[in-house]
Amino acid sequence: MDKIIIHGGNRLKGQVQVSGAKNASLPLLFATLLAPGRHRLANVPHLRDIDTAEKLLKILGAHVVRENGTFAIDAGEIRSVEAPYDLVRTMRASVLVLGPLVARLGHARVSLPGGCAIGARPIGLHLKGLEAMGAKISLDHGYVEARAKRLHGARIYFDLPTVGGTENLMMAAALAKGTTILENAAREPEIIDLAEALNRMGARIEGAGSDTVVIEGVEELRPMDYAVMPDRIEAGTFMVAAAITRGDVLVNGAIPDHLEALIAKLREAGAEVWAEDGGLRVKGPRKINSVDIKTSPHPGFPTDMQAQFMALMTLGGGTSSITENVFENRFMHVCELQRLGADIRIEGHTATVKGVKGLLGAPVMATDLRASASLVLAGLAADNTTEVSRIYHLDRGYERIEEKLKALGAQIERAPA
């Protein structure tokens, strides 16, 4: 198991290229199950979660060839409809095979995901929607089983916006008989990316990116040839890295419309942010202003950027309030930031962060994907050396992050733990 060693204090300067989006790649990979034939999916990042998705596709019977960020997938002969626990427990997004398998083959058996470090993420809304579309749902020995001769259209209202639920039901509805309407749907850019890919496959989807998505089912779909969108969370992480080190970084591939809430808060914190040459340039402030944030579904401030922004706020000139409204257990990075000298107090869903003059390097431990990113950012700004262990979390969502940061001038390296 590796660790990352950071000698902090360097200002980041230069350009960095954002990889393809993990959270867009996963549903797109599973969408290939909807149609036989050879699919081509480009700009897929090399990440642990992508490795897991590849294993699952192969277990189901798909033929997968992977080379330089491009997947060639032939899902013509699906031999199994079961997503086993050993894979689902390592990556919750595995439940996204449920909709495609039921829609195309009439049967799916998927392990329940179980617990998650950042809080409960139940799939009840996925199952409720499939039932409304005519699937018979049963639970047996930790697996959910769904059967339907053919799904039919339905009007489905989500009690809460759910990204995975919207994606699963959108894929299922693409092959259902009749029209499906998803109300209070998630609005994230990854939803739009999936809808665009499905439409290229012959689906008829309108309204993706709004709270109402309308899907008119078709008899069959064709293979896709598609490139994954840039990763907005990776882009946001590099933007905060520029701000926390008082650097000057052009984040190539960052899309302004995907990052409006973060851009607004970085500017409020004193950073300069502007669009330039197909990306976003961030110039860090001499003095970091303390800023309040509240996470919420898109287009609000993303929960996946909360930990990174908290790292920035540890060096603010006053006191900031950070409220987590999406996941109930997403402050596990606080104890580790405190080890670096941060002054943070938690009360319920809100963390109060009093800015300190500086952070001091120390050994810290990652607890989840975005928490690990926040510790790397804090280490970049801290005096002396910070060692981040359990970085397998980091490798789930960031492609070669230490190499990209090193190219910007960071003193950072990966080493055996």
Side-chain angles (χ1 to χ4, degrees), residues 18-273:
V18 177
S19 300
K22 173 182 84 85
N23 289 338
S25 296
L26 295 172
L28 287 167
L29 286 168
F30 296 139
T32 63
L33 296 169
L34 287 165
R38 188 178 177 85
H39 301 261
R40 180 182 177 275
L41 192 59
N43 200 35
V44 181
H46 188 80
L47 303 169
R48 287 172 64 100
D49 278 6
I50 301 299
D51 295 341
T52 302
E54 180 182 359
K55 289 177 186 176
L56 180 51
L57 286 170
K58 289 178 176 177
I59 284 174
L60 296 174
H63 182 260
V64 182
V65 177
R66 179 179 181 181
E67 185 176 0
N68 298 327
T70 297
F71 275 72
I73 302 168
D74 191 332
E77 295 184 21
I78 302 301
R79 299 187 300 270
S80 172
V81 294
E82 180 173 312
Y85 173 70
D86 284 347
L87 287 182
V88 178
R89 71 180 175 85
T90 63
M91 187 186 73
R92 296 182 57 88
S94 301
V95 301
L96 292 177
V97 301
L98 191 62
L101 289 175
V102 177
R104 180 178 162 197
L105 301 175
H107 183 202
R109 189 169 188 266
V110 179
S111 171
L112 291 169
C116 177
I118 60 173
R121 295 199 273 184
I123 63 169
L125 295 176
H126 304 227
L127 304 183
K128 179 181 174 183
L130 287 172
E131 280 187 317
M133 296 169 70
K136 287 184 168 52
I137 306 292
S138 60
L139 299 175
D140 180 44
H141 294 92
Y143 280 77
V144 57
E145 197 153 2
R147 292 180 180 270
K149 287 186 178 179
R150 187 183 180 189
L151 297 172
H152 59 72
R155 193 177 200 100
I156 298 164
Y157 177 81
F158 293 114
D159 294 330
L160 296 169
T162 161
V163 174
T166 301
E167 292 169 340
N168 229 340
L169 298 183
M170 199 161 66
M171 288 188 283
L175 287 176
K177 184 178 181 179
T179 301
T180 299
I181 300 174
L182 305 179
E183 297 180 305
N184 199 27
R187 299 167 60 187
E188 274 71 5
E190 293 79 8
I191 302 288
I192 301 172
D193 211 40
L194 176 60
E196 289 180 355
L198 291 171
N199 284 340
R200 288 196 193 181
M201 293 172 67
R204 298 173 183 171
I205 302 172
E206 295 181 352
S210 73
D211 59 6
T212 302
V213 182
V214 180
I215 308 104
E216 183 183 341
V218 297
E219 292 292 327
E220 61 182 10
L221 296 169
R222 57 181 175 267
M224 75 168 91
D225 187 342
Y226 196 75
V228 179
M229 63 176 268
D231 195 311
R232 62 192 173 97
I233 304 302
E234 184 193 11
T237 300
F238 283 116
M239 291 166 70
V240 175
I244 200 171
T245 63
R246 297 167 174 82
D248 186 350
V249 176
L250 174 60
V251 184
N252 289 311
I255 299 174
D257 288 349
H258 293 178
L259 294 156
E260 288 180 343
L262 175 62
I263 291 169
K265 289 300 179 179
L266 282 173
R267 286 173 174 161
E268 196 176 333
E272 296 178 56
V273 185

